[in-house]
Amino acid sequence: MRLWGGRFDEGPSEVFERFSGSLHYDSRLFFADIQGSQAWASELARIGIYTRDEAARVRAALDELAADAPANPAYFQQDDEDVHTLVLRKLGEKPGMDELAQRLHTGRSRNEQVSVDFRLWIRGEIADARARLDALLGALVEQAERHPALVLPGYTHLRRAQPVLWGHYVLAYFEMFARDRERLARAAASADALPLGSGALAGSGIPLDRAALARELGFSRITANSLDATSDRDFALEFLFAAAVTFLHLSRLAEDWILYSSEEFGFLELSDQVTSGSSLMPQKKNPDSLELLRGKTGRMLGHFVSLATTIKGTPLSYNRDMQEDKEAVFDAADQLRAGLEMATVVVATAKPKPEPMQEAAAGGWSCATDLAEYLALHGVPFHQAHKIVGTIVRAGLAANRPPEQWTLAQLREHSPAFGEDSLVWLRGTAGVARREIEGGTGPGMVAQAIHAARQRLNKL
Ligand code: ARG
């Protein structure tokens, strides 16, 4: 069915119908469309298009549609142009509803209807994604709590830089995903404005109480400009951006852990639950879950770029181009849900391996900064200290003498400022203890940070 046609001599070609129809995907807006239509029916009763009783019957019949659909797999396999059309047709087919269904669209345009449906849908989806982010945040805090003081190398340029605590490392991801949670909340806040009453573009011609509609549908405000409201897709873009950034973070974690769980690093054991084997090579244990998280990130960024590019250059106000918003958002939402779920299992079941981590952290002269800072704190200008320690590292590498084998006398050949108390910084990963500063990797600070993360989580 179509909701238009009076001014046409012929109907649309089958090719055009197939090309432009959206029911096969916008049926996901079905429940939102019903909700919006029920609020609309109540409003029509207030202004006398329906009697109170008629509005109640329309609402009840719409409830019946909502109950019918899940029970019938063929429900959405129809040739209606879109979900809004389907809902009106199905409503009209209910006994005694034909006339009432024909009145329901009074003063309403699909341009505002699709906007309200999409906003309702995205808000629901964001609430779900945030709950899944909470689970991931929980798994990260548990990972930190289980091994707060394990030491691993901290990297820059993927070269050993300075040792850091596992708890500190894991909480870095906690911060990223906590920001993603806020970003998603901001996208939900953008969607939280009622567009109904905007008409097709110029504002509705019937005297609606928009504030009442907003209240009924759970929107905290109404949109301010009908031209903008019917063609604004910022809320969808913001959702796609927030989802894509979440995936950037998932992808960085994936990249880290693919490396860390490799034979070359050997820092981490991924559980059997999230790895797969090779059909040919019997020894393989591949990190496919993480590779897919990393791989899907391209697709997520693509969704953002796809909608941004669609919106670019559309003249005010609504254009059919905007129908292309939905598949990007639906797929992004599905991937986001699945990705967060997957990452949570990976994080919850991964087991760090203390010895290889500790050994790697102590190697690579990762104590060099501590030695330079020791000299700087004992009167040597930092640039000189940096140079002195650089020559110590060079000599150590040339003589194959790792830091822990250096004696005080040998150090003092490079600078008389080295005292007995400097030797401790050459031993293992003692340097982490020097970083007891807010946001730093000192054990005391990390213990506090883990506690604080747990408190934040409890308050979510
Ligand atoms: N299916 C359209 C969309 O998703 C909404 C219908 C508006 N159609 C129209 N020809 N004005 O944007």
Side-chain angles (χ1 to χ4, degrees):
M1 186 179 106
R2 289 185 300 279
L3 296 173
W4 46 271
R7 63 96 66 218
F8 292 82
D9 288 334
E10 338 175 52
S13 83
E14 187 269 328
V15 173
F16 173 62
E17 283 198 315
R18 249 192 300 122
F19 184 69
S20 60
S22 53
L23 183 61
H24 58 288
Y25 55 84
D26 69 12
S27 56
R28 291 184 73 168
L29 299 177
F30 180 70
F31 294 104
D33 201 74
I34 284 184
Q35 206 190 336
S37 293
Q38 287 179 321
W40 193 257
S42 300
E43 197 48 28
L44 291 185
R46 209 189 49 79
I47 59 182
I49 305 284
Y50 285 146
T51 63
R52 287 269 149 222
D53 176 59
E54 287 171 335
R57 281 166 54 208
V58 168
R59 294 179 64 114
L62 287 165
D63 276 337
E64 284 176 33
L65 297 193
D68 295 344
N72 178 1
Y75 202 86
F76 298 111
Q77 283 148 29
Q78 310 288 332
D79 53 11
D80 300 287
E81 186 179 342
D82 56 24
V83 67
H84 325 295
T85 311
L86 173 103
V87 168
L88 286 179
R89 180 174 63 77
K90 291 278 190 189
L91 180 66
E93 287 169 7
K94 289 274 170 194
M97 293 307 290
D98 183 33
E99 228 284 317
L100 296 179
Q102 291 198 42
R103 283 181 200 273
L104 182 57
H105 212 52
T106 309
R108 184 174 74 165
S109 161
R110 281 180 297 162
N111 298 353
E112 55 184 339
Q113 203 181 341
V114 73
S115 171
V116 81
D117 292 2
F118 209 22
R119 287 165 186 265
L120 288 169
W121 190 89
I122 283 184
R123 289 176 66 192
E125 202 56 35
I126 287 176
D128 191 83
R130 292 182 81 201
R132 280 165 204 259
L133 266 170
D134 295 350
L136 177 57
L137 291 169
L140 287 164
V141 173
E142 272 165 36
Q143 196 46 265
E145 285 170 344
R146 243 177 272 141
H147 315 280
L150 265 184
V151 186
L152 77 158
Y155 295 93
T156 60
H157 313 270
L158 201 57
R159 302 291 183 269
R160 287 178 203 165
Q162 291 183 296
V164 293
L165 298 188
W166 175 247
H168 195 57
Y169 166 82
V170 168
L171 286 189
Y173 283 101
F174 181 93
E175 293 299 329
M176 290 176 234
F177 293 119
R179 286 199 298 277
D180 294 333
R181 200 178 178 281
E182 290 311 305
R183 229 181 313 275
L184 281 165
R186 290 196 288 274
S190 285
D192 180 18
L194 176 93
L196 288 182
S198 301
L201 75 162
S204 183
I206 62 170
L208 298 162
D209 180 347
R210 296 190 65 204
L213 271 172
R215 270 195 305 280
E216 163 145 16
L217 289 172
F219 288 97
S220 68
R221 62 188 198 282
I222 61 175
T223 56
N225 181 295
S226 61
L227 290 168
D228 174 46
T230 47
S231 59
D232 165 25
R233 293 294 180 274
D234 291 3
F235 60 95
L237 281 169
E238 286 171 42
F239 170 69
L240 290 174
F241 175 71
V245 174
T246 306
F247 258 82
L248 293 181
H249 296 148
L250 289 171
S251 190
R252 296 190 77 182
L253 177 67
E255 174 67 4
D256 268 1
W257 287 19
I258 289 167
L259 289 171
Y260 291 1
S261 62
S262 68
E263 287 90 346
E264 280 67 15
F265 277 78
F267 291 176
L268 200 60
E269 185 69 28
L270 298 173
S271 90
D272 288 1
Q273 295 174 45
V274 300
T275 45
S276 57
S278 156
S279 61
L280 177 64
M281 301 166 282
Q283 85 284 11
K284 293 298 291 291
K285 182 178 179 186
N286 296 326
D288 296 34
S289 51
L290 293 171
E291 290 166 308
L292 282 166
L293 286 170
R294 189 177 58 184
K296 284 172 187 288
T297 307
R299 167 175 175 177
M300 297 296 282
L301 286 165
H303 289 323
F304 174 78
V305 173
S306 128
L307 182 57
T309 312
T310 295
I311 298 300
K312 173 187 177 298
T314 46
L316 278 190
S317 53
Y318 179 84
N319 302 267
R320 192 65 176 272
D321 311 41
M322 283 154 188
Q323 179 169 298
E324 290 294 309
D325 56 2
K326 277 175 275 308
E327 284 166 295
V329 167
F330 291 154
D331 185 63
D334 291 343
Q335 299 306 324
L336 182 62
R337 227 179 310 109
L340 291 171
E341 198 182 9
M342 184 73 263
T344 302
V345 179
V346 174
V347 170
T349 57
K351 291 206 167 61
K353 297 181 184 167
E355 289 80 34
M357 271 189 181
Q358 172 75 32
E359 197 183 313
W365 280 91
S366 57
C367 61
T369 308
D370 297 312
L371 287 188
E373 285 180 0
Y374 175 94
L375 291 178
L377 292 172
H378 289 79
V380 182
F382 185 74
H383 281 175
Q384 276 182 39
H386 187 283
K387 196 169 166 192
I388 292 165
V389 177
T391 56
I392 291 174
V393 172
R394 186 146 60 99
L397 291 173
N400 208 4
R401 187 195 305 146
E404 62 277 9
Q405 288 176 18
W406 283 65
T407 63
L408 183 58
Q410 287 164 332
L411 281 181
R412 289 177 69 94
E413 282 168 25
H414 290 268
S415 169
F418 282 116
E420 191 72 47
D421 59 344
S422 66
L423 286 174
V424 59
W425 307 118
L426 291 144
R427 305 287 176 260
T429 54
V432 290
R434 298 189 57 253
R435 314 224 121 63
E436 293 289 7
I437 186 162
E438 296 91 334
T441 197
M445 281 298 168
V446 171
Q448 275 182 35
I450 294 172
H451 182 69
R454 170 61 68 194
Q455 304 278 95
R456 271 158 76 187
L457 200 58
N458 290 343
K459 281 197 217 109
L460 292 180

